[in-house]
Every structure is written in C-alpha cells, then in structure tokens.
Amino acid sequence: MTTKQSQQRYAIGMVGLGVMGRNLVLNMAGHGFPVAGYDLNPSQVEDLRKESAGQDICGTENINDFIALLRPPRAVIILVPAGAPVDSVIKDLLPHLERGDLIIDAGNSYFKDTDVRTRNLSAKGIHFLGVGVSGGEEGARHGPSIMPGGPKEAYERVRPVFEAAAAKVDGAPCVTWLGPGSAGHFVKMVHNGIEYGVMQLIAETYDLMKRGLGLNDTEVHEAYALWDKGELNGYLVEITGHIFSKQDEKTGKRLIDEILDVAKQKGTGMWTSQSAMELQVPIPTIDLAVAMRDLSVFAKEREQADAVYQQSQRRLAGDHDTFLTQLGRALFAAIIITYAQGMALLAVASKKYKYNLDLEAVALIWRGGCIIRSALLEDICAAFRSRRDLPNLLLDANLSRMLMDHQEDLRQVVCQAAKSGIPTPGLMVSLGYFDAYRSAWLPANLIQAQRDYFGAHTYERNDTKGTFHTEWEEHES
C-alpha cells in the first residue's frame, strides 16, 4: 500500500467545524467511522483536535490535505450557513473532486437552491444530497433526526453512517431516504415551520400564566413540568419547563426575566410560509408565528403604542387551577392543528414536486432527536399508517376525536384571552383554521361576487357548470 493510499482511510469528510459540524464529526467517529474535518478557521480545527483525542479523526485547514485524506469515491458533508456560503464551499471543492464523488449539504438550505445545485453538480458527474438535520448541538453530538433527499443510490453509500449517527427510538434510527431532489430540505423546512408554530403557542401560554394569572417563574416552571408528564409530552414543552428554573449567573435572578422580548429568525419559517402560499395550502398558525417574530422586533413602536393606548391587561377571571387545566388542553389542541397544517403542506408538495413522500416515515423519524419530537407523533404515525393518502390530519378518526374532546378548552381560553387583552393570536388563528376547515360552507361566495362586481373576474354557480359574469349596476340607456 502506498503512502497516499494509507492516508486515504477516512470514510467521510466534514466541511465546517462550528458547533454543529464538530459535534456531528464526534458522533460519526464515535460510531466507528473515521472522519476528516476541514475549516478555514484554525481555532475551529484546533477545537476539534482537542475534543477528538483518541478518536479516528483528522482536522485540517488545508483543502488539499483534506481531500487527500478521503477514501474515494469521496463523500463530503457541508455544514455551513445557508445561501452563498454553501455555493462558495462547493466552488472550492469542485476542482479537487472527481466524477462519482458525493457532496452532502447538511445545512438549512432553501429547497429551490438545492434543486439548482443538484442539476449543476449532476452535469459534472457529482452526486448531491440535500439533508436536513434537526436536534441542535446536543442532537448532533448524541443523535439527531436526519432527513436526506436526493439520488437514492447516493444515499445508500452513506446510509450506514447516518443510521449509526441518528437518534434511535425503539431501536430504529431516526433517518430514512425521503425522496429525490430537494425532498430532504423541503421536509426540514416544514419541520422548522411547525417548530415556529409550536414555539409561538407555548409562548402565548406563558403570557397567559404570567400576565393573566400572575404566576411567578417557579409556578410557571411547575405548570410546564406537569404538562410534560401528560399528553403534551415533548421536547419543546420539556425545555420550556427547564428554562423557567434557570438562574442568571450575573444577577442571581431567573434568567428568563433578563432576556429581551425580541425574537429574530434565520429564514426557514418564512420559506415555509412562502412555499405554502405558492402551493395554495393554508398554514395560518405557522404564518402567524413568523409574523409575531417580525412584530417582536418593533420594540420601540410597541412601547409607543403601549403609552398611547394605556390599557393594562386584566387578570383572568375564575379558578386558577381550572384555567391552567384548560390552558394545557387548549395548547394540545392547537399543537395538533399546527402539525396538521405542516403535514398538509408536505402532502401537496409531495405531488407537486414529485417527492412521493411517505408521511408516516416522516413522522417516524421526527419521533427522536429533532426539536419537534413529541408523544403526539405516535398518533400522527398511526394516522398515516391507516391511510397513506390522508390529505389532512384533521380527517383522521383518532385525532379528530382528540380535537373534539379539547376544542371547548381552546374556545374558553381564546375567549378569556380576548377579554383580558392578552395577545394570543396563535391560539386564535388555530381555532379559526379548525372552524373554517370543518365548515361545509364558507362565505367565499360573497368574495366571488365582489371580485366580479369590481373587476369582472366572473364567478361559478351552484346549479350550473361554467363561469358567469353579471352587470351588477343598472346603467341608464
């Protein structure tokens, strides 16, 4: 064996050794796969070297050395910020790669960018996988949910690595090939959209507890901890409980009260809303969650409006314990509705973009490692197992029974919030979506008439096929 061949012992390469990339490298190597890491930042490479002592990992800031370490045909994972940085890395890699090599974008890339990169690289004989990875720093190190899309034969090359590194639920790895092209990144985008919606809903329940009931941080912590033991069991509810018990090292107070009430975004929620509008799929809870992050940034205007209107929020009436029970049940109902919106978007996108998604498989790999993992996903899996072509989770017999059992709590919470002046737009729009979706008749006939009145856009009739136009105003001859 030549010296060059002995160096080419690394099964996979990682470009980008920030927190996510470094932890994923440690995860894969810990499962027996030699990994080479590359980053232009020497400190990132040095951090990897320190953390990987004793493991079959090699880090470098020289791209030639990096490529030389990889066993052909090469498989290179990119974990850098979405957009231009991904294209920049691909441009740097291409002169060093050969036909049959594989590039894997494991960042939060926009799915349409993934389609473009797939076409461009395929023309050069380079395989490309767009892979969603969820779980944050902890997930990357100990087991994320992995959502791969692209050529199936390319996925098969790295399947053993991904299955070993992924989170496990009942022994099954939380990874599966989802479909061709940008399927993986589209699914990850919708995952993040659902995440936006659930986070907004949880934040609204916090507001109702804090300003509506006057609970302190310890009491809020106890409420979420209790909810996490029941039907609301899930990662986001779990960590919310932990957040309210964390003390600030600087002030000694609860850290939550020292954090600015401004929440920014990196784009995946917005992309989900944009995609849903393009596909004409209503996802109002997710749309609203994106809008509320935008509104939170207008802090100075909100302060001015607060001074103009000078209306303090009224405390919620009635028994606190009763309301807390209703609030938890209302949150559960709204979370079901949010998942339903996201999965409905996946169902339509699957047909439009020819992903041929198995939505049960999507729900299965979300059960572990990812940010939106929850006990509810078992019921969602069962819904798609029962009916593969289910267009909306609200039509599933089991989930519809759950919603009917919880809808009155959601109504009561929304009414109480409206009376108190505490903003709960996520809960409100979730209820509105539910009521509209279950309504056999909607007042859209009036909208048709209005459009025809002012713009001669025509309308359709109940009793006759075709399109019609009416001269709505009588004109004198």
Side-chain angles (χ1 to χ4, degrees):
M1 182 181 291
T2 66
T3 302
K4 182 178 180 182
Q5 287 174 324
S6 65
Q7 286 178 331
Q8 294 174 331
R9 68 178 185 274
Y10 292 90
I12 200 158
M14 174 69 72
V15 179
L17 300 177
V19 172
M20 285 290 289
R22 188 165 66 251
N23 278 286
L24 197 53
V25 166
L26 295 168
N27 180 344
M28 293 185 294
H31 285 91
F33 296 94
V35 187
Y38 165 66
D39 199 298
L40 288 172
N41 186 339
S43 65
Q44 303 279 40
V45 177
E46 184 58 30
D47 287 344
L48 176 63
R49 287 173 180 157
K50 289 177 181 176
E51 293 184 46
S52 64
Q55 296 192 64
D56 200 355
I57 293 173
C58 182
T60 179
E61 60 227 53
N62 183 292
I63 194 167
N64 292 304
D65 293 344
F66 171 67
I67 295 296
L69 291 167
L70 300 177
R71 185 188 309 149
R74 304 170 189 87
V76 180
I77 300 175
I78 300 173
L79 242 176
V80 298
V86 176
D87 291 317
S88 178
V89 170
I90 292 173
K91 182 180 178 182
D92 290 344
L93 286 171
L94 276 177
H96 305 275
L97 299 181
E98 300 172 352
R99 295 183 69 87
D101 286 347
L102 169 63
I103 295 176
I104 302 162
D105 177 10
N108 279 332
S109 288
Y110 183 41
F111 77 100
K112 291 185 178 181
D113 291 342
T114 300
D115 286 327
V116 171
R117 291 167 186 144
T118 298
R119 288 194 298 270
N120 291 343
L121 289 168
S122 178
K124 300 177 188 297
I126 306 294
H127 300 297
F128 187 70
L129 293 176
V131 178
V133 179
S134 178
E137 177 182 355
E138 185 72 11
R141 180 66 183 87
H142 300 291
S145 174
I146 305 176
M147 297 157 251
K152 190 170 186 181
E153 63 274 17
Y155 169 68
E156 286 299 322
R157 282 175 47 186
V158 292
R159 180 172 58 84
V161 183
F162 283 178
E163 288 185 348
K168 309 295 188 300
V169 175
D170 299 329
C174 292
V175 57
T176 191
W177 178 74
L178 293 172
S182 55
H185 275 150
F186 195 96
V187 169
K188 177 54 165 47
M189 178 188 74
V190 174
H191 164 285
N192 284 23
I194 295 170
E195 177 185 307
Y196 271 58
V198 175
M199 290 170 71
Q200 173 64 28
L201 294 169
I202 293 173
E204 291 176 12
T205 64
Y206 158 50
D207 196 1
L208 287 168
M209 285 190 256
K210 180 181 175 69
R211 292 196 288 181
L213 297 179
L215 301 189
N216 60 37
D217 291 330
T218 298
E219 291 168 321
V220 174
H221 156 75
E222 291 171 351
Y224 288 117
L226 178 63
W227 288 353
D228 188 49
K229 294 176 181 177
E231 62 189 6
L232 280 165
N233 172 255
Y235 179 72
L236 285 169
V237 173
E238 175 190 344
I239 66 168
T240 302
H242 295 167
I243 285 168
F244 283 94
S245 62
K246 182 70 173 179
Q247 282 194 314
D248 178 26
E249 294 179 0
K250 183 178 179 181
T251 64
K253 300 177 182 178
R254 294 295 171 93
L255 179 57
I256 186 66
D257 298 316
E258 305 305 312
I259 297 176
L260 192 67
D261 65 328
V262 172
K264 298 179 181 179
Q265 57 173 309
K266 291 186 176 180
T268 46
M270 177 183 68
W271 295 339
T272 308
S273 290
Q274 289 174 337
S275 298
M277 289 182 183
E278 288 176 3
L279 295 171
Q280 297 182 313
V281 179
I283 55 167
T285 308
I286 296 169
D287 295 339
L288 187 280
V290 175
M292 289 303 291
R293 290 202 191 186
D294 291 338
L295 184 57
S296 76
V297 175
F298 291 83
K300 290 185 178 179
E301 290 182 35
R302 290 190 286 112
E303 289 176 6
Q304 293 170 16
D306 185 62
V308 168
Y309 293 100
Q310 295 183 342
Q311 181 180 350
S312 60
Q313 281 76 25
R314 296 194 295 269
R315 288 291 171 87
L316 298 169
D319 179 70
H320 282 194
D321 290 340
T322 300
F323 182 80
L324 272 178
T325 299
Q326 285 185 321
L327 185 60
R329 289 171 60 82
L331 175 61
F332 184 65
I335 288 175
I336 293 175
I337 293 165
T338 304
Y339 273 102
Q341 292 170 22
M343 300 307 276
L345 175 57
L346 288 179
V348 172
S350 179
K351 295 177 182 177
K352 172 69 174 179
Y353 301 128
K354 297 180 172 58
Y355 293 147
N356 195 29
L357 295 173
D358 179 342
L359 295 183
E360 181 192 354
V362 171
L364 281 168
I365 66 172
W366 283 353
R367 294 179 305 155
C370 78
I371 303 302
I372 63 170
R373 62 185 185 266
S374 67
L376 177 62
L377 281 161
E378 296 291 350
D379 295 290
I380 293 173
C381 289
F384 289 114
R385 189 179 308 124
S386 173
R387 182 180 169 188
R388 179 180 166 81
D389 65 343
L390 185 68
N392 193 301
L393 289 172
L394 301 191
L395 296 177
D396 176 68
N398 180 47
L399 288 167
S400 64
R401 280 194 296 270
M402 290 183 185
L403 264 180
M404 290 301 290
D405 187 46
H406 289 68
Q407 66 159 327
E408 187 58 32
D409 300 288
L410 180 54
R411 294 186 193 286
Q412 289 300 320
V413 166
V414 166
C415 287
Q416 286 264 48
K419 289 178 182 178
S420 71
I422 296 173
T424 56
L427 292 167
M428 290 177 175
V429 80
S430 297
L431 177 60
Y433 173 86
F434 170 65
D435 281 339
Y437 188 80
R438 69 184 185 87
S439 180
W441 179 87
L442 291 173
N445 56 332
L446 176 57
I447 295 172
Q448 281 210 75
Q450 290 169 330
R451 293 181 73 247
D452 189 57
Y453 192 115
F454 66 68
H457 293 295
T458 73
Y459 57 86
E460 295 174 279
R461 296 179 60 96
N462 294 320
D463 54 3
T464 309
K465 289 187 178 295
T467 56
F468 301 88
H469 169 63
T470 293
E471 292 294 334
W472 294 89
E473 294 183 6
E474 296 291 338
H475 297 285
E476 294 182 7
S477 58

